[in-house]
Amino acid sequence: MSSCSDEAIPGQPIVLGCGQLCLDYLVTVPSFPIPDQKIRGTSFKVQGGGNTGNSLTCVARLGLPSRILAKVADDSYGRYMVEELESSGVDTSFCMNAKDGASHFNYAIVDNQTNTRTCIYTPGYPPLLPYDLTESLLLDVLDGVRVLYVNGRSREAELLLAQKAHSKNISILINAEKKRAGLDELLDLADYAICSTNFPQQWTESPSSPSALLSMLIRLPKLKFVIMTLGEHGCVMLERCSNEVSGSEEETDIDELHESLKQSTDFTSVLPVCNSSLVTRLTGNVTGRLVIVTAEKILPSELVDTTGAGDAFTGALLYGNTLH
């Protein structure tokens, strides 16, 4: 990661992320290997990674103060990752050194043929635990924070931090990639949720993605919006709205609304397209709007790899919500 392109201005609201630091070993290959095959890589690099570190780096490079709370192994890899975050403008003063710990690391195979990446994750130790978070530390780390970012990987510590943030009226954004133990308690506290393509249906057991997004808003009354990412196809957002609609207006079926919105969306555009429905009364006493956003179409010859793309999306969303 290079140094940040925009310096944060003192006094600006802070984005706090709680999570793990992970070292990425990235090897690029002409095509994904088959079992028992020996192939030659075309490039190799080592860099810091992990959802939290990547997203906060994006926030810092966009010009907002970002701060990370993490437990970091006191080894050469841990020190390297902390220094890399600092070079991008991320405040690492709340990173705790774990003596005799081992850093998390991840092998990523970048396939030039399909422009995809496959990750093999090896967890480190020890994890961030609730007893690491004293009352004074919680007060200090949340000072000046407007948005807290969590993903449930250090669930018990994140829950304690999120409860404290909630009591101080700090907004909470959660990245829900897959069902994890303790994730439901974090979702109950969340103001905003970003989900992987499959998570909404897996979590709600709804028959379709649009109905799953609606079910999340019904089950999580604090949630202002939920976004489902779709990779190269963009994303879909369902936003809760306070706007009043006509009392005589009938409830709109979410699947029919989604299909109608798809029909009016230009999926052939090279540049991103944002297409929103009107504010509508939906099933479950929810008033909201559905939004389809397409992704910019990038030529295969211009695409390096997709490592960290979702984290960059999250970082941009954190930036926008902090300034909102």
Side-chain angles (χ1 to χ4, degrees):
M1 297 178 183
S2 61
S3 61
C4 59
S5 58
D6 253 322
E7 291 189 5
I9 300 171
Q12 284 185 308
I14 298 168
V15 177
L16 171 66
C18 180
Q20 301 168 347
L21 295 186
C22 181
L23 194 67
D24 283 348
Y25 294 87
L26 302 170
V27 59
T28 303
V29 296
S31 61
F32 196 83
I34 61 175
D36 207 30
Q37 181 185 27
K38 291 183 179 180
I39 62 173
R40 185 184 294 268
T42 58
S43 70
F44 175 77
K45 57 185 175 181
V46 180
Q47 63 184 34
N51 302 88
T52 306
N54 288 343
S55 297
L56 292 177
T57 295
C58 177
V59 172
R61 290 181 177 180
L62 288 171
L64 274 182
S66 65
R67 176 184 296 165
I68 187 166
L69 173 63
K71 185 178 279 188
V72 185
D74 189 20
D75 55 20
S76 59
Y77 307 118
R79 290 189 290 274
Y80 171 80
M81 289 185 284
V82 169
E83 290 171 1
E84 190 180 40
L85 285 172
E86 289 173 347
S87 73
S88 289
V90 179
D91 175 7
T92 64
S93 59
F94 292 92
C95 285
M96 307 172 193
N97 284 330
K99 189 177 180 181
D100 300 323
S103 293
H104 308 273
F105 62 91
N106 180 57
Y107 293 106
I109 302 171
V110 181
D111 183 348
N112 268 346
Q113 187 175 61
T114 59
N115 292 317
T116 58
R117 57 94 177 101
T118 301
C119 297
I120 306 168
Y121 172 66
T122 301
Y125 63 87
L128 182 68
L129 296 172
Y131 68 73
D132 294 314
L133 307 182
T134 63
E135 181 68 17
S136 62
L137 185 145
L138 287 171
L139 291 173
D140 289 343
V141 77
L142 290 170
D143 184 41
V145 170
R146 181 169 295 177
V147 178
L148 168 65
Y149 171 57
V150 294
N151 57 32
R153 292 181 185 272
S154 304
R155 58 184 180 273
E156 294 178 352
E158 288 178 37
L159 180 59
L160 181 61
L161 180 62
Q163 289 169 337
K164 192 67 174 180
H166 174 67
S167 72
K168 295 171 68 67
N169 294 317
I170 294 170
S171 296
I172 299 169
L173 186 146
I174 186 169
N175 187 341
E177 289 186 329
K178 60 183 179 181
K179 294 174 72 173
R180 304 179 193 273
L183 188 66
D184 289 10
E185 290 86 349
L186 280 171
L187 282 166
D188 285 336
L189 294 170
D191 298 275
Y192 313 102
I194 307 175
C195 305
S196 63
T197 304
N198 298 321
F199 178 83
Q201 280 187 266
Q202 290 174 348
W203 191 70
T204 64
E205 299 182 349
S206 299
S208 67
S209 293
S211 63
L213 297 180
L214 177 58
S215 180
M216 289 186 70
L217 287 194
I218 294 171
R219 291 170 59 175
L220 303 169
K222 190 172 183 281
L223 206 60
K224 295 180 175 67
F225 68 63
V226 55
I227 292 176
M228 178 180 69
T229 58
L230 302 171
E232 63 183 292
H233 301 296
C235 66
V236 176
M237 177 181 78
L238 183 61
E239 180 183 24
R240 192 190 308 273
C241 299
S242 57
N243 307 50
E244 291 294 329
V245 294
S246 172
S248 60
E249 184 177 324
E250 295 183 0
E251 292 182 344
T252 300
D253 180 83
I254 188 69
D255 289 300
E256 292 180 1
L257 181 63
H258 180 246
E259 188 58 36
S260 173
L261 202 59
K262 282 174 60 178
Q263 296 298 325
S264 63
T265 302
D266 181 8
F267 290 100
T268 65
S269 173
V270 174
L271 296 176
V273 171
C274 181
N275 191 17
S276 171
S277 74
L278 297 174
V279 175
T280 307
R281 188 187 305 280
L282 300 166
T283 307
N285 198 30
V286 172
T287 300
R289 65 183 182 121
L290 190 66
V291 184
I292 292 177
V293 182
T294 66
E296 179 180 355
K297 291 179 173 55
I298 301 174
L299 294 174
S301 60
E302 298 177 354
L303 184 63
V304 178
D305 72 74
T306 59
T307 307
D311 298 332
F313 177 88
T314 300
L317 193 63
L318 285 165
Y319 174 83
N321 275 312
T322 303
L323 291 179
H324 182 66

